[in-house]
Amino acid sequence: MKKILMIATGGTIACTVSENGLAPALSGNDLLQYVPKLKDICQIDVLEIMNIDSSNISPKHYKMMIEAIEENYNLYDGFVITHGTDTMAYSSSFLSNAIENLSKPVVFTGSQLPMQVDYTDAKDNIYGAFLTASSSYNGVFLVFNNSIHKGSYVKKIYATDFTGFLSINSDTAGKIVNNSIRWNIKHKTYTESVIFNKEICENIFVLKIIPTLKPDIINTLVNMGYKGIIIEGYGAGGVPTSKEKDFIPALKNAIEKGVSIVCNTQCLYNGVHLDKYPMGVLAEKSGAISAKNMTLENTLAKLMIGLGKNMDNKALKKYMENA
């Protein structure tokens, strides 16, 4: 049987009722007691590194997850990370990029209802996660509602519905049907040694373009010390270029001062196409980088890592666009 390490971080799945609402309280071992059939598919050890609401997850917690995997990498066949749903796509995107040449499965899961609640989705999600972690497929995955998502292509779409997550601009990695996996991806192999990247740039701002926004905000962010700005533009991902509200000069100024500008889109599907309209063409000519088909979560993860490696704009462009 495969040997799997469960890394518990808290989230709704571990919640019980408190005077201020649901709060994480159950341990990883507590959670496993509710899914006894897990003993039939793998051996499990538990490592509790935190027990918090995922709204409180920050980059320091990403490092804790990475270090937990790094320190135990040679001792286990796979890893399951139980996590709150609200920021799970951010964490799965980060680990997808931070761990290179990953030759084992790292599987995130959580639930929309606490483990102890009637009709909870927690039991099925945990079972699916351990089933995936016990497979021969390597990579970072997020398992929810019998769907196996690639960790860097997933987004939380539903606040309460058991579907929870969807894969964006990508097919799901697989489905769990009758307690077995139907994979949609090919098995990968790596000959290089695994690399754990833990140098992170946190000085990144996400700026959503709205009709009332003025270009001066870019200069303000530069003066505040941000090293990267992700712009959520309309449609194909450009920025306003009208005479009254031209963002191009502010973008050029930011880039000249060493700030990286990445254009994403507010649309869920089809990605960024900076070559389609003047708004995008002019932004790209100014030095802005396209997020291509990446989710916001994945764009943020890659930018944090790229700037953490002190990449210049040319190297960063190549890294960001090689999704």
Side-chain angles (χ1 to χ4, degrees), residues 62 85-95 97 151-157 165-166 168 206 230 232 264 268 294-304:
Y62 298 157
T85 59
D86 285 349
T87 61
M88 185 154 54
Y90 285 96
S91 295
S92 69
S93 292
F94 188 84
L95 265 65
N97 290 285
S152 58
Y153 284 90
V154 65
K155 180 182 283 287
K156 186 177 182 183
I157 300 297
F165 296 81
L166 292 179
I168 306 299
V206 177
I230 299 170
E232 278 196 303
N264 208 309
L268 273 181
M294 289 191 289
T295 62
L296 171 64
E297 293 87 344
N298 199 34
T299 304
L300 176 62
K302 293 202 78 163
L303 189 55
M304 290 170 68

PDB file of all heavy atoms in Angstrom, residues 62 85-95 97 151-157 165-166 168 206 230 232 264 268 294-304:
ATOM      1  N   TYR A  62       2.381  29.379   2.720  1.00  0.00           N
ATOM      2  CA  TYR A  62       2.847  28.634   1.554  1.00  0.00           C
ATOM      3  C   TYR A  62       4.190  27.989   1.853  1.00  0.00           C
ATOM      4  O   TYR A  62       4.441  26.826   1.526  1.00  0.00           O
ATOM      5  CB  TYR A  62       3.018  29.555   0.335  1.00  0.00           C
ATOM      6  CG  TYR A  62       1.776  30.245  -0.157  1.00  0.00           C
ATOM      7  CD1 TYR A  62       1.866  31.424  -0.894  1.00  0.00           C
ATOM      8  CD2 TYR A  62       0.502  29.729   0.076  1.00  0.00           C
ATOM      9  CE1 TYR A  62       0.741  32.070  -1.372  1.00  0.00           C
ATOM     10  CE2 TYR A  62      -0.631  30.371  -0.387  1.00  0.00           C
ATOM     11  CZ  TYR A  62      -0.506  31.544  -1.115  1.00  0.00           C
ATOM     12  OH  TYR A  62      -1.610  32.196  -1.585  1.00  0.00           O
ATOM     13  N   THR A  85     -11.596  26.216   1.552  1.00  0.00           N
ATOM     14  CA  THR A  85     -11.879  26.364   0.126  1.00  0.00           C
ATOM     15  C   THR A  85     -11.639  27.779  -0.398  1.00  0.00           C
ATOM     16  O   THR A  85     -11.344  27.963  -1.580  1.00  0.00           O
ATOM     17  CB  THR A  85     -13.335  25.972  -0.185  1.00  0.00           C
ATOM     18  OG1 THR A  85     -14.231  26.805   0.565  1.00  0.00           O
ATOM     19  CG2 THR A  85     -13.586  24.515   0.162  1.00  0.00           C
ATOM     20  N   ASP A  86     -11.763  28.795   0.459  1.00  0.00           N
ATOM     21  CA  ASP A  86     -11.743  30.175  -0.037  1.00  0.00           C
ATOM     22  C   ASP A  86     -10.448  30.536  -0.749  1.00  0.00           C
ATOM     23  O   ASP A  86     -10.463  31.272  -1.738  1.00  0.00           O
ATOM     24  CB  ASP A  86     -11.996  31.159   1.104  1.00  0.00           C
ATOM     25  CG  ASP A  86     -13.452  31.188   1.541  1.00  0.00           C
ATOM     26  OD1 ASP A  86     -14.286  30.597   0.825  1.00  0.00           O
ATOM     27  OD2 ASP A  86     -13.760  31.784   2.584  1.00  0.00           O
ATOM     28  N   THR A  87      -9.320  30.059  -0.253  1.00  0.00           N
ATOM     29  CA  THR A  87      -8.035  30.395  -0.888  1.00  0.00           C
ATOM     30  C   THR A  87      -7.285  29.153  -1.357  1.00  0.00           C
ATOM     31  O   THR A  87      -6.097  29.224  -1.642  1.00  0.00           O
ATOM     32  CB  THR A  87      -7.141  31.196   0.078  1.00  0.00           C
ATOM     33  OG1 THR A  87      -6.865  30.401   1.247  1.00  0.00           O
ATOM     34  CG2 THR A  87      -7.793  32.504   0.486  1.00  0.00           C
ATOM     35  N   MET A  88      -7.985  28.043  -1.467  1.00  0.00           N
ATOM     36  CA  MET A  88      -7.306  26.807  -1.852  1.00  0.00           C
ATOM     37  C   MET A  88      -6.726  26.892  -3.269  1.00  0.00           C
ATOM     38  O   MET A  88      -5.638  26.353  -3.537  1.00  0.00           O
ATOM     39  CB  MET A  88      -8.254  25.614  -1.730  1.00  0.00           C
ATOM     40  CG  MET A  88      -7.600  24.273  -1.985  1.00  0.00           C
ATOM     41  SD  MET A  88      -8.397  22.876  -1.165  1.00  0.00           S
ATOM     42  CE  MET A  88     -10.087  23.029  -1.707  1.00  0.00           C
ATOM     43  N   ALA A  89      -7.403  27.577  -4.188  1.00  0.00           N
ATOM     44  CA  ALA A  89      -6.879  27.709  -5.549  1.00  0.00           C
ATOM     45  C   ALA A  89      -5.613  28.551  -5.575  1.00  0.00           C
ATOM     46  O   ALA A  89      -4.726  28.323  -6.412  1.00  0.00           O
ATOM     47  CB  ALA A  89      -7.938  28.312  -6.471  1.00  0.00           C
ATOM     48  N   TYR A  90      -5.500  29.533  -4.673  1.00  0.00           N
ATOM     49  CA  TYR A  90      -4.261  30.305  -4.570  1.00  0.00           C
ATOM     50  C   TYR A  90      -3.114  29.402  -4.109  1.00  0.00           C
ATOM     51  O   TYR A  90      -2.003  29.445  -4.651  1.00  0.00           O
ATOM     52  CB  TYR A  90      -4.429  31.460  -3.587  1.00  0.00           C
ATOM     53  CG  TYR A  90      -5.238  32.625  -4.108  1.00  0.00           C
ATOM     54  CD1 TYR A  90      -6.584  32.737  -3.826  1.00  0.00           C
ATOM     55  CD2 TYR A  90      -4.648  33.611  -4.883  1.00  0.00           C
ATOM     56  CE1 TYR A  90      -7.344  33.809  -4.299  1.00  0.00           C
ATOM     57  CE2 TYR A  90      -5.380  34.687  -5.359  1.00  0.00           C
ATOM     58  CZ  TYR A  90      -6.733  34.779  -5.064  1.00  0.00           C
ATOM     59  OH  TYR A  90      -7.478  35.835  -5.534  1.00  0.00           O
ATOM     60  N   SER A  91      -3.388  28.580  -3.083  1.00  0.00           N
ATOM     61  CA  SER A  91      -2.342  27.699  -2.553  1.00  0.00           C
ATOM     62  C   SER A  91      -1.954  26.627  -3.556  1.00  0.00           C
ATOM     63  O   SER A  91      -0.764  26.329  -3.730  1.00  0.00           O
ATOM     64  CB  SER A  91      -2.822  27.051  -1.253  1.00  0.00           C
ATOM     65  OG  SER A  91      -3.005  28.010  -0.233  1.00  0.00           O
ATOM     66  N   SER A  92      -2.949  26.034  -4.236  1.00  0.00           N
ATOM     67  CA  SER A  92      -2.616  24.981  -5.203  1.00  0.00           C
ATOM     68  C   SER A  92      -1.854  25.560  -6.392  1.00  0.00           C
ATOM     69  O   SER A  92      -0.945  24.918  -6.924  1.00  0.00           O
ATOM     70  CB  SER A  92      -3.885  24.255  -5.677  1.00  0.00           C
ATOM     71  OG  SER A  92      -4.697  25.081  -6.485  1.00  0.00           O
ATOM     72  N   SER A  93      -2.195  26.783  -6.792  1.00  0.00           N
ATOM     73  CA  SER A  93      -1.456  27.431  -7.877  1.00  0.00           C
ATOM     74  C   SER A  93      -0.025  27.714  -7.454  1.00  0.00           C
ATOM     75  O   SER A  93       0.925  27.514  -8.233  1.00  0.00           O
ATOM     76  CB  SER A  93      -2.142  28.738  -8.283  1.00  0.00           C
ATOM     77  OG  SER A  93      -3.387  28.491  -8.896  1.00  0.00           O
ATOM     78  N   PHE A  94       0.142  28.177  -6.220  1.00  0.00           N
ATOM     79  CA  PHE A  94       1.491  28.495  -5.768  1.00  0.00           C
ATOM     80  C   PHE A  94       2.368  27.252  -5.718  1.00  0.00           C
ATOM     81  O   PHE A  94       3.490  27.241  -6.236  1.00  0.00           O
ATOM     82  CB  PHE A  94       1.470  29.187  -4.408  1.00  0.00           C
ATOM     83  CG  PHE A  94       2.827  29.701  -4.027  1.00  0.00           C
ATOM     84  CD1 PHE A  94       3.269  30.928  -4.478  1.00  0.00           C
ATOM     85  CD2 PHE A  94       3.689  28.932  -3.264  1.00  0.00           C
ATOM     86  CE1 PHE A  94       4.546  31.384  -4.184  1.00  0.00           C
ATOM     87  CE2 PHE A  94       4.962  29.374  -2.959  1.00  0.00           C
ATOM     88  CZ  PHE A  94       5.392  30.614  -3.417  1.00  0.00           C
ATOM     89  N   LEU A  95       1.871  26.188  -5.092  1.00  0.00           N
ATOM     90  CA  LEU A  95       2.685  24.973  -5.005  1.00  0.00           C
ATOM     91  C   LEU A  95       2.934  24.356  -6.372  1.00  0.00           C
ATOM     92  O   LEU A  95       3.993  23.761  -6.603  1.00  0.00           O
ATOM     93  CB  LEU A  95       2.034  23.956  -4.071  1.00  0.00           C
ATOM     94  CG  LEU A  95       2.543  24.002  -2.613  1.00  0.00           C
ATOM     95  CD1 LEU A  95       2.195  25.314  -1.945  1.00  0.00           C
ATOM     96  CD2 LEU A  95       2.008  22.828  -1.803  1.00  0.00           C
ATOM     97  N   ASN A  97       3.640  25.890  -9.035  1.00  0.00           N
ATOM     98  CA  ASN A  97       4.766  26.598  -9.636  1.00  0.00           C
ATOM     99  C   ASN A  97       6.026  26.529  -8.780  1.00  0.00           C
ATOM    100  O   ASN A  97       7.140  26.538  -9.308  1.00  0.00           O
ATOM    101  CB  ASN A  97       4.379  28.054  -9.872  1.00  0.00           C
ATOM    102  CG  ASN A  97       3.360  28.217 -10.972  1.00  0.00           C
ATOM    103  OD1 ASN A  97       3.673  28.098 -12.150  1.00  0.00           O
ATOM    104  ND2 ASN A  97       2.114  28.475 -10.605  1.00  0.00           N
ATOM    105  N   GLY A 151      -3.713  21.745 -10.392  1.00  0.00           N
ATOM    106  CA  GLY A 151      -3.610  22.743  -9.338  1.00  0.00           C
ATOM    107  C   GLY A 151      -3.474  24.169  -9.806  1.00  0.00           C
ATOM    108  O   GLY A 151      -3.845  25.103  -9.092  1.00  0.00           O
ATOM    109  N   SER A 152      -2.961  24.375 -11.026  1.00  0.00           N
ATOM    110  CA  SER A 152      -2.737  25.735 -11.515  1.00  0.00           C
ATOM    111  C   SER A 152      -3.816  26.212 -12.486  1.00  0.00           C
ATOM    112  O   SER A 152      -3.709  27.313 -13.028  1.00  0.00           O
ATOM    113  CB  SER A 152      -1.369  25.829 -12.193  1.00  0.00           C
ATOM    114  OG  SER A 152      -1.271  24.901 -13.252  1.00  0.00           O
ATOM    115  N   TYR A 153      -4.850  25.416 -12.702  1.00  0.00           N
ATOM    116  CA  TYR A 153      -5.914  25.803 -13.634  1.00  0.00           C
ATOM    117  C   TYR A 153      -7.284  25.841 -12.963  1.00  0.00           C
ATOM    118  O   TYR A 153      -8.310  25.785 -13.643  1.00  0.00           O
ATOM    119  CB  TYR A 153      -5.971  24.827 -14.813  1.00  0.00           C
ATOM    120  CG  TYR A 153      -4.877  25.015 -15.820  1.00  0.00           C
ATOM    121  CD1 TYR A 153      -3.668  24.336 -15.690  1.00  0.00           C
ATOM    122  CD2 TYR A 153      -5.031  25.868 -16.909  1.00  0.00           C
ATOM    123  CE1 TYR A 153      -2.654  24.496 -16.614  1.00  0.00           C
ATOM    124  CE2 TYR A 153      -4.023  26.035 -17.837  1.00  0.00           C
ATOM    125  CZ  TYR A 153      -2.835  25.348 -17.688  1.00  0.00           C
ATOM    126  OH  TYR A 153      -1.823  25.520 -18.607  1.00  0.00           O
ATOM    127  N   VAL A 154      -7.312  25.954 -11.660  1.00  0.00           N
ATOM    128  CA  VAL A 154      -8.569  25.788 -10.935  1.00  0.00           C
ATOM    129  C   VAL A 154      -8.954  27.078 -10.230  1.00  0.00           C
ATOM    130  O   VAL A 154      -8.102  27.870  -9.822  1.00  0.00           O
ATOM    131  CB  VAL A 154      -8.444  24.606  -9.935  1.00  0.00           C
ATOM    132  CG1 VAL A 154      -7.414  24.893  -8.854  1.00  0.00           C
ATOM    133  CG2 VAL A 154      -9.792  24.246  -9.338  1.00  0.00           C
ATOM    134  N   LYS A 155     -10.248  27.295 -10.094  1.00  0.00           N
ATOM    135  CA  LYS A 155     -10.761  28.493  -9.431  1.00  0.00           C
ATOM    136  C   LYS A 155     -12.023  28.127  -8.664  1.00  0.00           C
ATOM    137  O   LYS A 155     -12.848  27.336  -9.136  1.00  0.00           O
ATOM    138  CB  LYS A 155     -11.078  29.578 -10.458  1.00  0.00           C
ATOM    139  CG  LYS A 155     -11.622  30.880  -9.870  1.00  0.00           C
ATOM    140  CD  LYS A 155     -11.956  31.873 -10.958  1.00  0.00           C
ATOM    141  CE  LYS A 155     -10.731  32.536 -11.520  1.00  0.00           C
ATOM    142  NZ  LYS A 155     -10.127  33.525 -10.599  1.00  0.00           N
ATOM    143  N   LYS A 156     -12.190  28.722  -7.484  1.00  0.00           N
ATOM    144  CA  LYS A 156     -13.429  28.536  -6.746  1.00  0.00           C
ATOM    145  C   LYS A 156     -14.513  29.389  -7.391  1.00  0.00           C
ATOM    146  O   LYS A 156     -14.383  30.603  -7.501  1.00  0.00           O
ATOM    147  CB  LYS A 156     -13.277  28.907  -5.267  1.00  0.00           C
ATOM    148  CG  LYS A 156     -14.544  28.565  -4.462  1.00  0.00           C
ATOM    149  CD  LYS A 156     -14.415  28.850  -2.979  1.00  0.00           C
ATOM    150  CE  LYS A 156     -15.709  28.427  -2.274  1.00  0.00           C
ATOM    151  NZ  LYS A 156     -15.708  28.729  -0.840  1.00  0.00           N
ATOM    152  N   ILE A 157     -15.591  28.734  -7.802  1.00  0.00           N
ATOM    153  CA  ILE A 157     -16.669  29.399  -8.522  1.00  0.00           C
ATOM    154  C   ILE A 157     -17.940  29.505  -7.677  1.00  0.00           C
ATOM    155  O   ILE A 157     -18.721  30.429  -7.828  1.00  0.00           O
ATOM    156  CB  ILE A 157     -16.987  28.631  -9.826  1.00  0.00           C
ATOM    157  CG1 ILE A 157     -15.755  28.582 -10.720  1.00  0.00           C
ATOM    158  CG2 ILE A 157     -18.144  29.258 -10.585  1.00  0.00           C
ATOM    159  CD1 ILE A 157     -15.284  29.953 -11.178  1.00  0.00           C
ATOM    160  N   PHE A 165     -15.476  24.073  -7.345  1.00  0.00           N
ATOM    161  CA  PHE A 165     -14.401  24.531  -8.217  1.00  0.00           C
ATOM    162  C   PHE A 165     -14.626  24.098  -9.665  1.00  0.00           C
ATOM    163  O   PHE A 165     -15.275  23.088  -9.930  1.00  0.00           O
ATOM    164  CB  PHE A 165     -13.060  23.970  -7.742  1.00  0.00           C
ATOM    165  CG  PHE A 165     -12.647  24.449  -6.383  1.00  0.00           C
ATOM    166  CD1 PHE A 165     -13.164  23.860  -5.229  1.00  0.00           C
ATOM    167  CD2 PHE A 165     -11.739  25.496  -6.238  1.00  0.00           C
ATOM    168  CE1 PHE A 165     -12.786  24.306  -3.972  1.00  0.00           C
ATOM    169  CE2 PHE A 165     -11.365  25.946  -4.986  1.00  0.00           C
ATOM    170  CZ  PHE A 165     -11.889  25.353  -3.851  1.00  0.00           C
ATOM    171  N   LEU A 166     -14.055  24.865 -10.574  1.00  0.00           N
ATOM    172  CA  LEU A 166     -14.026  24.497 -11.980  1.00  0.00           C
ATOM    173  C   LEU A 166     -12.607  24.651 -12.509  1.00  0.00           C
ATOM    174  O   LEU A 166     -11.831  25.471 -12.012  1.00  0.00           O
ATOM    175  CB  LEU A 166     -14.972  25.379 -12.798  1.00  0.00           C
ATOM    176  CG  LEU A 166     -16.473  25.240 -12.566  1.00  0.00           C
ATOM    177  CD1 LEU A 166     -17.227  26.219 -13.459  1.00  0.00           C
ATOM    178  CD2 LEU A 166     -16.957  23.817 -12.796  1.00  0.00           C
ATOM    179  N   ILE A 168     -10.317  26.113 -15.342  1.00  0.00           N
ATOM    180  CA  ILE A 168     -10.446  27.254 -16.236  1.00  0.00           C
ATOM    181  C   ILE A 168      -9.456  27.132 -17.387  1.00  0.00           C
ATOM    182  O   ILE A 168      -8.255  26.962 -17.175  1.00  0.00           O
ATOM    183  CB  ILE A 168     -10.205  28.567 -15.470  1.00  0.00           C
ATOM    184  CG1 ILE A 168     -11.124  28.648 -14.241  1.00  0.00           C
ATOM    185  CG2 ILE A 168     -10.399  29.770 -16.386  1.00  0.00           C
ATOM    186  CD1 ILE A 168     -12.607  28.629 -14.541  1.00  0.00           C
ATOM    187  N   VAL A 206      -3.027  43.632  -7.159  1.00  0.00           N
ATOM    188  CA  VAL A 206      -3.969  43.283  -8.234  1.00  0.00           C
ATOM    189  C   VAL A 206      -4.919  44.463  -8.415  1.00  0.00           C
ATOM    190  O   VAL A 206      -5.641  44.842  -7.483  1.00  0.00           O
ATOM    191  CB  VAL A 206      -4.754  42.004  -7.908  1.00  0.00           C
ATOM    192  CG1 VAL A 206      -5.777  41.716  -9.005  1.00  0.00           C
ATOM    193  CG2 VAL A 206      -3.807  40.818  -7.753  1.00  0.00           C
ATOM    194  N   ILE A 230      -0.603  43.354 -11.225  1.00  0.00           N
ATOM    195  CA  ILE A 230      -1.431  42.559 -12.129  1.00  0.00           C
ATOM    196  C   ILE A 230      -2.679  43.375 -12.427  1.00  0.00           C
ATOM    197  O   ILE A 230      -3.410  43.776 -11.506  1.00  0.00           O
ATOM    198  CB  ILE A 230      -1.826  41.212 -11.496  1.00  0.00           C
ATOM    199  CG1 ILE A 230      -0.581  40.378 -11.189  1.00  0.00           C
ATOM    200  CG2 ILE A 230      -2.763  40.437 -12.419  1.00  0.00           C
ATOM    201  CD1 ILE A 230      -0.861  39.142 -10.360  1.00  0.00           C
ATOM    202  N   GLU A 232      -6.281  43.517 -13.972  1.00  0.00           N
ATOM    203  CA  GLU A 232      -7.444  42.774 -14.461  1.00  0.00           C
ATOM    204  C   GLU A 232      -8.209  43.693 -15.406  1.00  0.00           C
ATOM    205  O   GLU A 232      -8.988  44.536 -14.986  1.00  0.00           O
ATOM    206  CB  GLU A 232      -8.335  42.336 -13.303  1.00  0.00           C
ATOM    207  CG  GLU A 232      -7.888  41.081 -12.606  1.00  0.00           C
ATOM    208  CD  GLU A 232      -8.996  40.488 -11.753  1.00  0.00           C
ATOM    209  OE1 GLU A 232      -9.507  41.189 -10.869  1.00  0.00           O
ATOM    210  OE2 GLU A 232      -9.351  39.327 -11.989  1.00  0.00           O
ATOM    211  N   ASN A 264      -4.030  40.683 -17.062  1.00  0.00           N
ATOM    212  CA  ASN A 264      -4.952  39.558 -16.987  1.00  0.00           C
ATOM    213  C   ASN A 264      -6.316  40.063 -17.437  1.00  0.00           C
ATOM    214  O   ASN A 264      -6.447  41.203 -17.878  1.00  0.00           O
ATOM    215  CB  ASN A 264      -4.988  38.987 -15.563  1.00  0.00           C
ATOM    216  CG  ASN A 264      -5.345  37.520 -15.539  1.00  0.00           C
ATOM    217  OD1 ASN A 264      -6.339  37.105 -16.139  1.00  0.00           O
ATOM    218  ND2 ASN A 264      -4.548  36.704 -14.851  1.00  0.00           N
ATOM    219  N   LEU A 268     -13.692  34.879 -17.208  1.00  0.00           N
ATOM    220  CA  LEU A 268     -13.258  33.573 -16.720  1.00  0.00           C
ATOM    221  C   LEU A 268     -12.537  32.775 -17.805  1.00  0.00           C
ATOM    222  O   LEU A 268     -11.545  32.103 -17.534  1.00  0.00           O
ATOM    223  CB  LEU A 268     -14.461  32.762 -16.231  1.00  0.00           C
ATOM    224  CG  LEU A 268     -14.904  32.946 -14.780  1.00  0.00           C
ATOM    225  CD1 LEU A 268     -16.081  32.040 -14.489  1.00  0.00           C
ATOM    226  CD2 LEU A 268     -13.764  32.668 -13.816  1.00  0.00           C
ATOM    227  N   MET A 294      -3.843  32.109 -18.104  1.00  0.00           N
ATOM    228  CA  MET A 294      -3.738  31.823 -16.676  1.00  0.00           C
ATOM    229  C   MET A 294      -4.873  32.448 -15.872  1.00  0.00           C
ATOM    230  O   MET A 294      -5.348  33.542 -16.174  1.00  0.00           O
ATOM    231  CB  MET A 294      -2.403  32.328 -16.126  1.00  0.00           C
ATOM    232  CG  MET A 294      -1.208  31.527 -16.590  1.00  0.00           C
ATOM    233  SD  MET A 294       0.303  31.963 -15.671  1.00  0.00           S
ATOM    234  CE  MET A 294       0.645  33.595 -16.323  1.00  0.00           C
ATOM    235  N   THR A 295      -5.272  31.755 -14.822  1.00  0.00           N
ATOM    236  CA  THR A 295      -6.188  32.340 -13.843  1.00  0.00           C
ATOM    237  C   THR A 295      -5.458  33.441 -13.077  1.00  0.00           C
ATOM    238  O   THR A 295      -4.226  33.527 -13.107  1.00  0.00           O
ATOM    239  CB  THR A 295      -6.659  31.288 -12.828  1.00  0.00           C
ATOM    240  OG1 THR A 295      -5.502  30.795 -12.114  1.00  0.00           O
ATOM    241  CG2 THR A 295      -7.377  30.126 -13.501  1.00  0.00           C
ATOM    242  N   LEU A 296      -6.220  34.257 -12.378  1.00  0.00           N
ATOM    243  CA  LEU A 296      -5.593  35.267 -11.532  1.00  0.00           C
ATOM    244  C   LEU A 296      -4.720  34.602 -10.475  1.00  0.00           C
ATOM    245  O   LEU A 296      -3.609  35.063 -10.181  1.00  0.00           O
ATOM    246  CB  LEU A 296      -6.660  36.125 -10.851  1.00  0.00           C
ATOM    247  CG  LEU A 296      -6.149  37.084  -9.772  1.00  0.00           C
ATOM    248  CD1 LEU A 296      -5.222  38.129 -10.374  1.00  0.00           C
ATOM    249  CD2 LEU A 296      -7.306  37.748  -9.033  1.00  0.00           C
ATOM    250  N   GLU A 297      -5.210  33.502  -9.899  1.00  0.00           N
ATOM    251  CA  GLU A 297      -4.464  32.804  -8.860  1.00  0.00           C
ATOM    252  C   GLU A 297      -3.113  32.319  -9.369  1.00  0.00           C
ATOM    253  O   GLU A 297      -2.089  32.450  -8.695  1.00  0.00           O
ATOM    254  CB  GLU A 297      -5.288  31.606  -8.344  1.00  0.00           C
ATOM    255  CG  GLU A 297      -6.555  31.982  -7.605  1.00  0.00           C
ATOM    256  CD  GLU A 297      -7.765  32.178  -8.498  1.00  0.00           C
ATOM    257  OE1 GLU A 297      -7.589  32.330  -9.739  1.00  0.00           O
ATOM    258  OE2 GLU A 297      -8.894  32.184  -7.980  1.00  0.00           O
ATOM    259  N   ASN A 298      -3.106  31.777 -10.585  1.00  0.00           N
ATOM    260  CA  ASN A 298      -1.858  31.276 -11.148  1.00  0.00           C
ATOM    261  C   ASN A 298      -0.940  32.422 -11.572  1.00  0.00           C
ATOM    262  O   ASN A 298       0.284  32.336 -11.427  1.00  0.00           O
ATOM    263  CB  ASN A 298      -2.150  30.362 -12.341  1.00  0.00           C
ATOM    264  CG  ASN A 298      -0.979  29.464 -12.685  1.00  0.00           C
ATOM    265  OD1 ASN A 298      -0.242  29.024 -11.811  1.00  0.00           O
ATOM    266  ND2 ASN A 298      -0.790  29.202 -13.966  1.00  0.00           N
ATOM    267  N   THR A 299      -1.529  33.498 -12.085  1.00  0.00           N
ATOM    268  CA  THR A 299      -0.741  34.670 -12.456  1.00  0.00           C
ATOM    269  C   THR A 299      -0.015  35.231 -11.235  1.00  0.00           C
ATOM    270  O   THR A 299       1.171  35.552 -11.293  1.00  0.00           O
ATOM    271  CB  THR A 299      -1.647  35.758 -13.061  1.00  0.00           C
ATOM    272  OG1 THR A 299      -2.372  35.213 -14.178  1.00  0.00           O
ATOM    273  CG2 THR A 299      -0.839  36.957 -13.530  1.00  0.00           C
ATOM    274  N   LEU A 300      -0.739  35.336 -10.131  1.00  0.00           N
ATOM    275  CA  LEU A 300      -0.139  35.836  -8.896  1.00  0.00           C
ATOM    276  C   LEU A 300       0.982  34.917  -8.429  1.00  0.00           C
ATOM    277  O   LEU A 300       2.075  35.390  -8.055  1.00  0.00           O
ATOM    278  CB  LEU A 300      -1.206  35.961  -7.810  1.00  0.00           C
ATOM    279  CG  LEU A 300      -0.713  36.397  -6.419  1.00  0.00           C
ATOM    280  CD1 LEU A 300      -0.089  37.788  -6.478  1.00  0.00           C
ATOM    281  CD2 LEU A 300      -1.854  36.363  -5.412  1.00  0.00           C
ATOM    282  N   ALA A 301       0.754  33.623  -8.463  1.00  0.00           N
ATOM    283  CA  ALA A 301       1.775  32.668  -8.017  1.00  0.00           C
ATOM    284  C   ALA A 301       3.047  32.793  -8.847  1.00  0.00           C
ATOM    285  O   ALA A 301       4.159  32.864  -8.298  1.00  0.00           O
ATOM    286  CB  ALA A 301       1.220  31.243  -8.102  1.00  0.00           C
ATOM    287  N   LYS A 302       2.899  32.831 -10.148  1.00  0.00           N
ATOM    288  CA  LYS A 302       4.080  32.904 -11.006  1.00  0.00           C
ATOM    289  C   LYS A 302       4.820  34.230 -10.839  1.00  0.00           C
ATOM    290  O   LYS A 302       6.064  34.277 -10.860  1.00  0.00           O
ATOM    291  CB  LYS A 302       3.685  32.714 -12.475  1.00  0.00           C
ATOM    292  CG  LYS A 302       3.178  31.313 -12.788  1.00  0.00           C
ATOM    293  CD  LYS A 302       3.289  30.969 -14.256  1.00  0.00           C
ATOM    294  CE  LYS A 302       4.709  30.597 -14.624  1.00  0.00           C
ATOM    295  NZ  LYS A 302       4.818  29.886 -15.898  1.00  0.00           N
ATOM    296  N   LEU A 303       4.062  35.305 -10.663  1.00  0.00           N
ATOM    297  CA  LEU A 303       4.708  36.601 -10.482  1.00  0.00           C
ATOM    298  C   LEU A 303       5.448  36.655  -9.155  1.00  0.00           C
ATOM    299  O   LEU A 303       6.565  37.193  -9.074  1.00  0.00           O
ATOM    300  CB  LEU A 303       3.666  37.721 -10.565  1.00  0.00           C
ATOM    301  CG  LEU A 303       4.199  39.160 -10.616  1.00  0.00           C
ATOM    302  CD1 LEU A 303       5.192  39.340 -11.756  1.00  0.00           C
ATOM    303  CD2 LEU A 303       3.043  40.144 -10.750  1.00  0.00           C
ATOM    304  N   MET A 304       4.879  36.096  -8.107  1.00  0.00           N
ATOM    305  CA  MET A 304       5.548  36.049  -6.806  1.00  0.00           C
ATOM    306  C   MET A 304       6.863  35.289  -6.901  1.00  0.00           C
ATOM    307  O   MET A 304       7.882  35.702  -6.323  1.00  0.00           O
ATOM    308  CB  MET A 304       4.634  35.391  -5.766  1.00  0.00           C
ATOM    309  CG  MET A 304       3.420  36.208  -5.369  1.00  0.00           C
ATOM    310  SD  MET A 304       2.255  35.261  -4.361  1.00  0.00           S
ATOM    311  CE  MET A 304       3.183  35.051  -2.861  1.00  0.00           C
TER     312      MET A 304
END
